[in-house]
């Protein structure tokens, strides 16, 4: 006989029995893959059924003979617990295969070696760095995010990195950078380090912004008596602007004309770190009289500095009393007490009354009446107090239009607009208000020539004031006409016109005593215009 044999086709699927995810962070997804294979001779189909925090994909499918499919399993625990799930893979052509999925949910836990960082005092424009270390003390990886607690607050501290994943038992260094931008401010910012499992760490960053330390080698300059003669005499003094900090510091002299009664060689610049810049001041009076100017120096990221400059010009016909710095100090002390509107006659009367009271008190003390105590009127006028930042800022922003000052103009800047060198334009009116109770003598000290203009502009004044001198009665006003006299085409012009005013009685030393000596006022008005033709570009290359 002849034996006949045949193999009947069959289905044979291979499915793993278990899949262990191990530890997994809460609210995060762990991913594993595994294959299922068809080792039979028939095509098969499969379908998964399961419960719990596991997901399998694809959940169903078909496999031809000899093929396999990669299944992706995902485990997302919602809390710290042990999860064991039996999944059934139904294969109609074969049988149902049971697979066990296991996983343990764990909360991640981060700790920081520093929870408060103090940067201390940091110079504006500089940066300070600090580091703290985040350590993962849990058996699962920790995904973290860093955010500022107050979202609408200005940020001067930045952290990097602001997110990441730290493996079990690992650590990561976070760098905090403090960049202050406003002097005198204090920073306190709180950042939260949060993990997906709910672990939260508060990192507090604090610091203070300070400005550079820039000082003047002298707070005042006294040129003394300078004779007015031909050729014109010029006296020079030098003041050092000293930078005590480790950064470059820009500065600018506020409202100072380079060619004024007190000329300054450079009105703006930068002081290098730990070095100094030389301010060269010259005094060349053109008319007899006392001259006083407070030069305000604006320093980047620091309170303004002030330099009091005094000088006296005289000739054979006019000899005013020498103006000294203690006179200026006493006048500023009176202004702080609201006595800056008194006339010289009233100052004389006040001094006489004070001496009479002092004599009466001394007489009472010597007779044993017990009335010899000081009245404590605070007459420490001769001491030059440190000017606070608020007072200097008021002088900077009010300028020559201060409504509380003894003398003030109605405008700080005069705009002449477009003009021509071929014809005289309309003058601008400028009104000076005398709020004092004494007669004021006014004279204008105008720059001779315009250094930034053409060759003709350097030969003579480009702005003129009429009248050049006048007297202003007590508590009254005077009006001046300011003319624009350009000498070049296609040119911008800007100058500060300086007005020097003093009580009429200050013109001669015979009318002045220590009691009624009042320094002059110096008011500067900005005047500007141009000579560009209509329709042409007004930009200078």
């Amino acid at each position: 006989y002849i034996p006949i044999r045949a193999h009947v086709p069959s289905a044979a699927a291979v499915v793993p029995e278990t899949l262990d995810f191990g530890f997994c962070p809460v609210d995060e997804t762990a991913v594993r893959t595994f294959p299922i294979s068809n080792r039979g001779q028939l095509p098969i189909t499969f379908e998964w059924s399961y419960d719990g925090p596991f997901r399998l994909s694809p959940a169903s499918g078909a496999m031809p003979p000899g093929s396999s499919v990669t299944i992706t399993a995902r485990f997302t625990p919602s809390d710290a617990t042990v999860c064991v799930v039996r999944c059934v893979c139904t294969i109609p052509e074969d049988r149902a295969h049971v697979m066990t999925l296991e996983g343990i949910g764990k909360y991640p836990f981060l700790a920081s070696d520093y929870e408060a960082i103090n940067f201390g005092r940091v110079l504006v424009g500089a940066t300070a760095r600090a580091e703290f270390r985040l350590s993962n003390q849990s058996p699962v990886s920790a995904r973290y995010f860093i955010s500022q607690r107050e979202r609408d607050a200005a940020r001067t501290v930045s952290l990097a990195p602001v997110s990441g994943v730290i493996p079990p038992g690992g650590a990561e260094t976070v760098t905090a950078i403090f960049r202050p931008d406003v002097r005198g401010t204090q920073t306190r910012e709180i950042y939260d380090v949060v993990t997906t499992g709910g672990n939260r760490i508060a990192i507090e960053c604090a610091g203070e912004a300070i400005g550079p330390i820039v000082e003047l080698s002298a707070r005042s300059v006294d040129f003394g008596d300078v004779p007015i003669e031909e050729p014109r005499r010029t006296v020079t003094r030098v003041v050092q602007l000293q930078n005590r900090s480790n950064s470059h510091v820009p500065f600018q002299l506020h409202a100072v004309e380079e060619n004024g009664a007190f000329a300054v060689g450079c009105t703006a610049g930068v002081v290098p770190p730990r070095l100094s810049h030389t301010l060269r001041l010259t005094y060349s009076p053109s008319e007899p009289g006392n001259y006083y100017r407070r030069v305000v120096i604006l320093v980047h990221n620091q309170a303004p500095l002030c330099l009091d400059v005094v000088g006296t010009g005289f000739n054979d016909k006019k000899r005013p009393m020498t103006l000294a710095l203690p006179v200026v100090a006493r006048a500023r002390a009176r202004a702080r007490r609201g006595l800056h509107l008194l006339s010289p006659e009233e100052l004389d009367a006040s001094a006489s009354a004070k001496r009479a009271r002092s004599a009466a008190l001394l007489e009472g003390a010597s007779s044993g009446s017990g009335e010899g105590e000081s009245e404590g009127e605070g007459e420490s006028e001769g001491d030059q107090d440190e000017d606070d930042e608020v007072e200097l800022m008021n002088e900077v922003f009010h300028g020559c239009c201060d409504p509380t000052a003894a003398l003030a103009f109605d405008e700080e800047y005069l705009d002449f607009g477009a003009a021509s060198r071929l014809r005289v334009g309309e003058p601008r009116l400028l009104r000076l208000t005398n709020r004092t109770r004494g007669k004021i003598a006014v004279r204008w000290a105008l720059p001779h020539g315009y250094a930034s203009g053409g060759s003709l502009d350097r030969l003579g004044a480009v702005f003129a004031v009429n009248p050049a001198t006048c007297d202003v009665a007590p508590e009254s006003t005077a009006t001046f006409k300011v003319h624009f006299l350009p000498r070049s085409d296609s040119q911008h012009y800007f100058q500060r016109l300086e007005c020097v005013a003093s009580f009429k009685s200050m013109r001669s030393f015979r009318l002045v005593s220590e009691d009624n000596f009042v320094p002059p006022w110096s008011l500067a008005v900005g005047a500007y215009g141009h000579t560009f033709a209509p329709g042409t570009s007004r930009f200078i290359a």
Side-chain angles (χ1 to χ4, degrees):
Y1 62 95
I2 299 174
I4 298 175
R5 294 174 181 165
H7 294 281
V8 179
S10 63
V14 178
V15 178
E17 294 183 357
T18 60
L19 180 63
D20 188 358
F21 282 86
F23 293 112
C24 180
V26 173
D27 291 333
E28 292 198 30
T29 300
V31 180
R32 301 284 190 275
T33 59
F34 62 91
I36 59 175
S37 305
N38 181 6
R39 297 181 179 178
Q41 294 81 36
L42 297 176
I44 61 174
T45 60
F46 67 91
E47 183 176 2
W48 291 97
S49 59
Y50 51 85
D51 291 323
F54 296 95
R55 295 290 182 269
L56 300 177
S57 64
S60 61
M63 290 186 295
S67 65
S68 62
V69 174
T70 298
I71 304 298
T72 301
R74 292 178 172 84
F75 174 43
T76 307
S78 58
D79 55 9
T81 185
V82 177
C83 298
V84 179
V85 173
R86 294 168 61 86
C87 299
V88 178
C89 181
T90 303
I91 301 177
E93 297 83 4
D94 186 13
R95 61 183 177 84
H97 295 260
V98 178
M99 180 180 181
T100 303
L101 301 178
E102 299 177 356
I104 301 175
K106 283 286 187 179
Y107 285 109
F109 182 79
L110 291 180
S112 174
D113 54 352
Y114 293 103
E115 295 188 1
I117 299 175
N118 190 351
F119 294 97
R121 296 161 62 88
V122 180
L123 190 67
V124 172
T127 59
R129 296 174 179 267
E131 294 181 346
F132 61 94
R133 190 176 179 86
L134 295 176
S135 302
N136 184 4
Q137 301 178 0
S138 61
V140 294
S141 61
R143 185 182 303 275
Y144 70 90
F145 303 91
I146 302 177
S147 62
Q148 188 178 11
R149 181 172 296 182
E150 298 179 0
R151 301 294 180 87
D152 57 344
R155 293 182 58 182
T156 56
V157 178
S158 60
L159 303 182
V162 295
S163 63
V165 178
I166 303 177
E172 185 162 2
T173 299
V174 180
T175 302
I177 302 176
F178 179 40
R179 295 187 181 91
D181 50 11
V182 179
R183 179 188 66 88
T185 57
Q186 293 185 343
T187 295
R188 180 181 176 271
E189 299 178 14
I190 299 178
Y191 290 83
D192 290 322
V193 182
V194 183
T195 65
T196 54
N199 179 207
R200 181 184 296 267
I201 305 172
I203 305 296
E204 180 179 322
C205 300
E208 181 181 358
I210 61 173
I213 302 176
V214 178
E215 301 172 341
L216 287 167
S217 60
R219 297 190 69 242
S220 58
V221 174
D222 188 351
F223 284 94
D225 293 326
V226 177
I228 300 174
E229 56 189 13
E230 293 296 337
R232 194 167 171 180
R233 179 176 295 190
T234 299
V235 181
T236 302
R237 296 286 188 272
V238 171
V239 176
Q240 298 293 330
L241 193 61
Q242 300 165 339
N243 183 5
R244 309 291 188 187
S245 60
N246 295 320
S247 64
H248 290 80
V249 181
F251 73 92
Q252 181 174 352
L253 274 64
H254 175 69
V256 173
E257 175 60 42
E258 294 184 5
N259 297 322
F262 296 106
V264 183
C266 179
T267 58
V270 178
V271 188
R274 299 293 175 180
L275 295 177
S276 61
H277 182 91
T278 300
L279 297 178
R280 183 172 176 269
L281 295 91
T282 60
Y283 175 49
S284 180
S286 59
E287 296 291 335
N290 293 319
Y291 292 82
Y292 163 63
R293 183 69 188 271
R294 165 157 284 197
V295 179
V296 178
I297 304 172
L298 304 180
V299 182
H300 189 54
N301 291 321
Q302 182 186 303
L305 305 173
C306 65
L307 180 67
D308 288 327
V309 186
V310 297
T312 302
F314 69 94
N315 57 19
D316 295 338
K317 297 181 179 180
K318 292 185 180 180
R319 188 64 168 88
M321 178 174 281
T322 301
L323 178 61
L325 290 167
V327 177
V328 174
R330 288 195 294 269
R332 299 191 72 87
R334 287 195 298 270
R336 294 188 188 99
R337 300 199 303 274
L339 305 177
H340 57 295
L341 304 182
L342 297 180
S343 66
E345 294 76 16
E346 291 173 319
L347 291 175
D348 268 334
S350 175
S352 299
K354 180 184 175 182
R355 283 192 290 269
R357 290 196 302 270
S358 299
L361 290 172
L362 290 175
E363 183 179 354
S366 62
S367 63
S369 60
E371 298 178 357
E373 299 179 359
S374 173
E375 293 182 358
E377 295 182 4
E379 291 290 340
S380 57
E381 327 181 302
D383 298 332
Q384 189 169 0
D385 299 329
E386 292 290 332
D387 297 276
D388 62 11
E389 186 174 344
V390 175
E391 182 178 352
L392 287 176
M393 284 299 184
N394 285 334
E395 294 186 21
V396 170
F397 286 104
H398 286 145
C400 62
C401 299
D402 188 351
T404 63
L407 300 179
F409 285 116
D410 61 339
E411 293 187 64
E412 189 173 3
Y413 295 96
L414 299 176
D415 183 4
F416 287 87
S420 173
R421 64 181 177 83
L422 301 178
R423 63 179 182 274
V424 179
E426 290 293 326
R428 296 290 186 269
L429 299 182
L430 184 65
R431 186 172 67 250
L432 174 68
T433 300
N434 175 17
R435 298 189 180 93
T436 71
R437 295 195 280 270
K439 181 182 286 189
I440 296 295
V442 177
R443 65 183 183 278
W444 287 88
L446 302 180
H448 183 75
Y450 185 60
S452 301
S455 57
L456 295 177
D457 293 321
R458 300 186 185 97
L459 299 178
V462 296
F463 292 98
V465 181
N466 186 31
T469 61
C470 74
D471 294 341
V472 186
E475 299 179 341
S476 63
T477 62
T479 301
F480 300 91
K481 292 183 178 180
V482 183
H483 300 267
F484 181 32
L485 308 172
R487 291 181 169 85
S488 300
D489 294 326
S490 302
Q491 176 71 47
H492 284 290
Y493 293 87
F494 178 84
Q495 279 188 324
R496 293 191 180 274
L497 313 181
E498 190 173 0
C499 167
V500 181
S502 60
F503 283 115
K504 186 75 172 178
S505 59
M506 300 293 110
R507 65 188 182 276
S508 174
F509 69 92
R510 295 182 178 87
L511 304 176
V512 180
S513 66
E514 184 178 353
D515 296 329
N516 65 10
F517 197 3
V518 179
W521 294 270
S522 180
L523 306 177
V525 178
Y528 57 95
H530 68 89
T531 55
F532 290 88
T536 60
S537 174
R538 293 170 55 183
F539 295 97
I540 300 177

